[in-house]
Amino acid sequence: MLIDPALADLATSHGIATRPSQPVYDLAVLGAGPAGLAAAVYGASEGLRTLVIEPEAIGGQAGTSSMIRNFFGFPSGISGAELAIRAFEQTILFGTAVIYGSAAVGLRAEGDLRVLTLSNGSEVQARSVVVATGVSYRKMDVPSLDAFDGIGVHYGAASAEAPSLRDADVFVVGGGNSAGQAAVYLAKFARRVTITVRGALPCMMN
């Protein structure tokens, strides 16, 4: 039994690597969003020993989107989760290694190598590094909400949490594109969805 485990603990319990298995990689990619996974696919397909380092979620913020319509190759759109799964499978098929649950916290040069220090204390040596860290959801500056993170307060989890919110009153905080997508998707399940913004809604939400 794992009680309040860190992501690295969950990864270890499921046999997912949290430390490097090779002494030197040709390419290390920081981030497993669409850009990072694309870089890994291209690198690994050219025969480079490729490693992807992802501290939180495969697919990044795009992986939480209920529908992506502007990604090439999918004219009818594709959910972020499905896009992330397909891209991740493709990287694995080309032999890409993955370290999950630890973030890169340091980078230095040693001769022709680049050395990444991970938050778990291990180090990764690579000949090249691609930084594709993307963006993170900005959390609300309300300390009392921290205790409810994941149990009533969710960041970028509309697709995953929507079925459990059936017939509930839901508030979406934010007025950007992601908030609009989340509200539309949640409306299929919730009794009422209210969008809360600090100012006027952007044009994209009109």
Side-chain angles (χ1 to χ4, degrees):
M1 179 181 294
L2 299 176
I3 300 175
D4 194 20
L7 291 176
D9 297 328
L10 288 173
T12 299
S13 70
H14 286 74
I16 301 172
T18 58
R19 294 177 180 271
S21 59
Q22 298 286 334
V24 179
Y25 293 90
D26 297 313
L27 173 64
V29 180
L30 303 183
L37 293 177
V41 166
Y42 292 131
S45 67
E46 292 296 329
L48 301 179
R49 284 178 295 180
T50 303
L51 171 70
V52 172
I53 301 170
E54 171 55 51
E56 293 184 9
I58 303 298
Q61 185 173 324
T64 67
S65 176
S66 58
M67 181 61 64
I68 298 173
R69 298 187 184 278
N70 61 350
F71 196 86
F72 68 92
F74 297 96
S76 299
I78 185 173
S79 72
E82 185 177 358
L83 179 64
I85 291 171
R86 290 189 180 196
F88 183 68
E89 288 179 347
Q90 196 171 13
T91 63
I92 298 302
L93 288 173
F94 279 116
T96 300
V98 178
I99 290 179
Y100 179 73
S102 294
V105 295
L107 173 62
R108 68 181 188 273
E110 289 188 359
D112 294 335
L113 297 178
R114 302 294 178 263
V115 181
L116 291 160
T117 302
L118 304 186
S119 55
N120 63 11
S122 62
E123 291 188 338
V124 173
Q125 297 186 83
R127 293 184 172 85
S128 297
V129 176
V130 170
V131 180
T133 48
V135 297
S136 298
Y137 284 100
R138 183 174 60 185
K139 293 194 173 183
M140 290 185 290
D141 188 19
V142 183
S144 59
L145 288 180
D146 293 345
F148 300 98
D149 196 349
I151 50 172
V153 177
H154 306 280
Y155 294 89
S159 298
E161 296 298 329
S164 67
L165 299 174
R166 189 176 299 278
D167 298 326
D169 292 329
V170 178
F171 287 82
V172 176
V173 179
N177 196 46
S178 295
Q181 281 191 337
V184 170
Y185 188 75
L186 288 166
K188 300 176 182 178
F189 300 86
R191 177 174 58 186
R192 176 181 297 173
V193 178
T194 303
I195 299 178
T196 305
V197 293
R198 291 179 297 176
L201 289 174
C203 294
M204 68 181 70
M205 291 287 294
N206 290 340

